[in-house]
Amino acid sequence: MTTVEKQIRRFLVENFLYDGQEDDLAADASFLEGGIIDSTGVLELELFLEETFGIEVADEDVLPENFDSIRRLVEYTTRKLQLAAENGGSWKADSMSQASELLKEVVVWEPTGQ
Amino acid sequence: MRICSRCVLPASFPGIRFDDNGVCNFCRTSATFQTRESRRAELQAKFARVVESARTASSYHCLVAWSGGKDSTYTLAVLKEEFELRVLAYTFDNGFVSPAAWRNMQAVSSNLNVDQVVVRPRFDFLRQVFRDSVSSVQYARKALSRTSAICNSCMGLAKFAGLRIAIEQDIPMVAFGWSPGQLPLSASIYRPRPAMAKAMMGATVGPLQRAGIGDASTYFLQDRHFAAAQHFPWEVSPLAFLDYHQDEIFRRIERLGWSKPSDTGPNSTNCLLNSLGILVHQTQTGFHPYASELATLVREGKISRDEALRRMETPENPDTVRLAMERLGLASLDFSSAQLGSPGQKGSRGL
């Protein structure tokens, strides 16, 4: 399990489920249909991703295919991290080193120009 | 029962933990004052941009969800008078709006010169929704940490009925009078894409349908609403990021003819169902449904801890509760008699 997934699972347990283990959540379980989070929780997830991983979540990205399960969230976050690494933008300065470490778990990536 | 030494969350609140000083994890992980103020400033700037784009609408600029209570009345006044928006006030009649609240809305709408539309679902449907919210409607734990099941049902119906009006009338913005403690800053200005709005709506209508309330979908958005993506309005909760001072709020709305109702419970200024919702929630979960909101207001310095505790401890008006039970056809509920106090009786700090 990558750090991205671990952090997402921990956030969900601590802020929405309150009990249970982080591993208990099925990767493909729908958050909204499964009653795991409420509708306001989607927006809290958005803020969590931005603050934790330093990515910018565009309004048009807040869609069920990106947000409505652990797997989808992890894949979305990873894509955003990769895009930022390729383009060198959309990262908050204080999270760049953390994001670099996260990406190393996912791809073989060599930072340039830092 | 143990209560956080800094806010008012009790030991029964979901996910709570206390440190050696009795401070809860929610206080310890809450945003600092500087972070909050920085976010509020960003949201104020974003709101200014949303307002400017809303002004291009040919009809109403903003639909304001108006319960007749203190905060939504203040929101209406601010948007009309300070932001000079062309507003349509929208009231969802859940069958329990207090007579005093109706009088307040009549006075304020006249003095503010605003149009008002009222949506009043048939009461047999509402009765089924609220009765089943007491027993069989299952919302997410997070939803129940924010408010009672009865309020979740009512707010869900009210919100989506309002969105229908906004979409059908091309009103670009819908404003809600949530207090700073009722929703996170991250949820205070957004415009969902139709696909996400549909999924979010499912989190509300799904529990109602699974409880057997078959007519529920009638009151929510239909496929034709989701097909018109360009008509989806902004959803804003201005009190989350504008200045929020209780004295100023009362001063302003009283100037408009609003007066504090004496026919509602201690935690509502408009609704006669609120007290029953609170008691049911306390019985079923062990904590007050307003605990989260009040805790946030305390952390942000909007009210004192003592005031928040007073609001949670003041017993609900038994007459209001009995009225609601009679109207819903609830003959008896498993309530401790100690939770139905007489006016002025100081309740216990524990639940």
Side-chain angles (χ1 to χ4, degrees), chain A residues 14-90:
Chain A
E14 289 183 355
N15 291 278
F16 294 100
L17 297 177
Y18 306 118
D19 55 23
Q21 298 300 312
E22 292 156 21
D23 296 344
D24 291 344
L25 275 171
D28 292 307
S30 164
F31 294 150
L32 289 166
E33 283 180 28
I36 296 168
I37 70 174
D38 59 350
S39 56
T40 304
V42 171
L43 302 164
E44 290 176 307
L45 269 177
E46 180 183 345
L47 182 63
F48 162 73
L49 293 184
E50 291 190 335
E51 290 188 334
T52 305
F53 303 111
I55 59 175
E56 272 189 58
V57 178
D59 287 349
E60 56 265 26
D61 288 351
V62 184
L63 297 168
E65 58 251 42
N66 293 328
F67 273 71
D68 198 26
S69 75
I70 289 177
R71 188 185 308 281
R72 291 177 179 188
L73 259 185
V74 171
E75 287 174 354
Y76 170 73
T77 305
T78 305
R79 280 200 306 276
K80 292 291 284 190
L81 286 168
Q82 288 172 331
L83 269 173
E86 288 165 13
N87 299 326
S90 291

Side-chain angles (χ1 to χ4, degrees), chain B residues 82-112:
Chain B
E82 278 180 33
F83 289 89
E84 298 180 316
L85 291 171
R86 204 158 52 230
V87 300
L88 174 62
Y90 147 67
T91 298
F92 182 82
D93 184 357
N94 67 353
F96 291 91
V97 179
S98 84
W102 284 122
R103 288 193 295 274
N104 278 335
M105 284 192 273
Q106 194 160 20
V108 172
S109 62
S110 175
N111 290 324
L112 260 185

